[in-house]
Amino acid sequence: MSPFMDSWVVTLGGLSILAFTSVLYIRYQNAVASINGFPGLRTVFNAFSVPGTLTRAIPGLSMPRMYKWEQKYKLYQKTGWDIYSGISVWPKATVSFSVADASAIKEIVQDKARFPKPAFAILALYGPNVVTASDNDEAKRHKKVAAPAFSERNNKLVWRETSRIIGEIFADWGDKEAVSINHIVDITLPLALHVISAAGFGRPISWQDEVRSGAQGAIPAGHLMSYQEAIETVCKGVFTRLLVPSWAMGFRTRWRKIAVAFHELGQYMSEMIESRRKEGDTIKTDEDGELYKSDLFSNLLAASDAEGVSGKGVLSEQELMGNIFIFLLAGHETTAHSLAFAMGLLACYPEEQQKLYEHINSVLPDGRSPRYEDIPLLTRSLAVFYEAMRLYPGVPAIGKTATCDTTLTINASIPSGADVTDGKHDQRKTVFVPKGTFIMLDVLGLHYNPRHWSNPDVFNPERFMKADWNRDAFMTFNAGSRACLGRRFSEIEAVTALTMILMRYKIELNGDLFQIIPGEAPRATRERLLKVTQGITLAPVRLPLVFRRRV
């Protein structure tokens, strides 16, 4: 190439870069003007785009993967308000707001027309469901059918199955004085899986046969995997399945197994739908004379068929499968990780563990296992679970979209160490929100907001023992019409598990796998022990514990 051509290439390249930079700059200026220059975060790439995902470690190009966890309430203190903006300019200009104000969040979740939930088609792996439905009428149709599935009978089945599985875990541990666990999630994940398998699908799994021995169960004709292996592989591989395109799932052995498991579970669900419809009213009763098939799957199918008889919103087979999969995903991982955090916190704060033990003894003075009727009385077990979810919420943020130009009235943020009651931070500001803005209900920011929670960084289950705690500032189970249908399912499972374990064992730090520093403050120990990572939900990286038999 001649020097003349070389110079033209360089010139054209320079002009292209200048034009591209100019376009990005104009996009940025227009975006800033659209929100009247409200302060916040500025990046080149949208964090959810491919380049945004690849450049998360580079400041200014994209948002770090764990920035919500790392910042919690700090970014609000920097802007001075319980809201901050976000602007990115590639692949297109995007404007967002993150909100940690309980009153503003309540307004947003209650006004479904102005702030609808965006479509999450990525979670429709088996079919549309109550979570992926963005249209309000469609969401109502799914919820009308799904809500009755979470019946009192199903709640009782959750208690019964949790009690059974914890009993099998105790039998597996035997008379050992101490049981060392490398990572408590290795206990809580299969525990939650077994509960959702029995109370969700009506298919109990034995801890002894399936977890301890590693047996995967028989493979029926026409299948490549047993039901147990399929459901376990799906639960472990769902994040991979969400991120990896279908055409690429055959590239690695593990990915191929996950793809097969998803197909197999879908086939099992189709067979169960056909089988349950054939059973009809002939479903057998349990030892208490109650219908055993009070699992979510059977209830959901019955509710959908009832809608069909009335000529209303019957769910298709794909929608039935989509909903039961969402219940499996939400009911499995979130509860398992929250239970893990709760037990890790009790190990870090032995005085709080003692308070819980004494409370349990006051409710169950005869030392018997809790009955279903005892669950509402075990208020401190629930308070510990709530406080763990406040500090470590499964979903750090919830998305909404503004359908029109609108405004939000926001409280001033509370500076670090400030007195919330002195009235110096009672100012409120009206913030303009342009049409199309993505709004993040910042669960972490809300849960660490000093306006709503006294000393929010402190592990203090006592705050949930008071009748007047702020329900609007606790978003672990979402809120409004899109609140989690399985909230009671999760609570009963957690209260039963925590209560039964604390009755028999002390939960301690595992000194063989985690450095115990004599005299260290519980908060410092907690920060070293409870490192987190973000997958589908917030999860502990590694949480080694010891369960020491009570004398």
Side-chain angles (χ1 to χ4, degrees), residues 157-158 160-166 168-169 186-213 215-216 227-228 231-232 235 292 328 331-333 336 489 493:
L157 181 58
V158 173
R160 180 186 294 121
E161 289 302 320
T162 305
S163 300
R164 176 184 67 82
I165 296 159
I166 293 293
E168 291 186 3
I169 293 174
D186 295 338
I187 298 294
T188 60
L189 273 176
L191 166 63
L193 171 64
H194 283 45
V195 173
I196 196 69
S197 181
F201 289 88
R203 299 187 67 156
I205 303 174
S206 165
W207 184 275
Q208 179 80 10
D209 294 341
E210 201 272 329
V211 174
R212 185 181 181 191
S213 67
Q216 295 291 338
Y227 162 77
Q228 291 96 318
I231 198 170
E232 279 191 2
C235 286
Y292 188 75
L328 166 68
H332 169 246
E333 186 170 286
F489 189 115
E493 179 182 345

Side-chain angles (χ1 to χ4, degrees), residues 261-461:
F262 269 86
H263 173 76
E264 287 290 301
L265 184 59
Q267 188 174 338
Y268 278 114
M269 285 194 286
S270 291
E271 291 167 356
M272 283 191 284
I273 289 174
E274 182 180 358
S275 174
R276 301 291 166 85
R277 283 190 166 138
K278 286 180 179 178
E279 287 177 346
D281 296 330
T282 64
I283 296 172
K284 61 186 178 181
T285 59
D286 61 19
E287 66 275 10
D288 297 325
E290 296 184 10
L291 291 176
Y292 188 75
K293 295 292 186 180
S294 56
D295 55 87
L296 294 179
F297 198 96
S298 297
N299 291 350
L300 186 65
L301 186 59
S304 179
D305 288 349
E307 288 293 306
V309 170
S310 66
K312 297 179 181 178
V314 63
L315 297 182
S316 68
E317 180 171 319
Q318 289 297 310
E319 290 171 329
L320 286 167
M321 291 168 61
N323 278 290
I324 199 63
F325 171 70
I326 284 298
F327 299 153
L328 166 68
L329 179 63
H332 169 246
E333 186 170 286
T334 306
T335 303
H337 291 156
S338 296
L339 261 176
F341 282 122
M343 287 191 271
L345 287 163
L346 290 173
C348 292
Y349 296 82
E351 73 283 358
E352 289 295 340
Q353 184 173 171
Q354 182 62 26
K355 289 179 184 178
L356 176 54
Y357 178 63
E358 291 172 0
H359 170 77
I360 292 170
N361 282 340
S362 72
V363 176
L364 305 168
D366 52 1
R368 61 175 171 78
S369 294
R371 301 188 184 104
Y372 181 65
E373 295 74 20
D374 298 319
I375 300 299
L377 305 177
L378 293 162
T379 52
R380 188 169 284 272
S381 294
L382 183 61
V384 167
F385 187 56
Y386 275 3
E387 182 70 342
M389 290 190 291
R390 185 188 68 81
L391 291 168
Y392 302 92
V395 180
I398 298 167
K400 299 284 184 178
T401 304
T403 59
C404 59
D405 289 347
T406 187
T407 60
L408 288 171
T409 302
I410 302 292
N411 282 310
S413 60
I414 307 297
S416 179
D419 183 356
V420 181
T421 64
D422 63 8
K424 294 181 179 179
H425 308 284
D426 290 344
Q427 307 96 322
R428 289 171 66 79
K429 181 182 183 69
T430 299
V431 178
F432 176 71
V433 179
K435 178 181 179 180
T437 299
F438 183 64
I439 300 173
M440 297 188 76
L441 311 184
D442 188 350
V443 179
L444 273 164
L446 179 68
H447 285 190
Y448 283 81
N449 188 334
R451 183 180 296 279
H452 309 307
W453 305 101
S454 176
N455 299 315
D457 294 315
V458 174
F459 174 63
N460 178 23

Side-chain angles (χ1 to χ4, degrees), residues 216 224-226 228-234 236-237 240-241 249-265:
Q216 295 291 338
L224 300 174
M225 277 184 185
S226 69
Q228 291 96 318
E229 185 177 10
I231 198 170
E232 279 191 2
T233 305
V234 164
K236 293 177 181 177
T240 300
R241 182 65 185 82
M249 289 297 287
F251 288 177
R252 299 180 62 182
T253 301
R254 179 174 171 270
W255 293 358
R256 286 195 295 272
K257 182 178 180 181
I258 292 170
V260 170
F262 269 86
H263 173 76
E264 287 290 301
L265 184 59

Side-chain angles (χ1 to χ4, degrees), residues 41-63:
L41 300 171
R42 308 290 184 255
T43 61
V44 174
F45 300 121
N46 185 311
F48 300 105
S49 67
V50 173
T53 301
L54 297 175
T55 59
R56 282 180 171 173
I58 305 176
L61 291 186
S62 185
M63 296 307 306

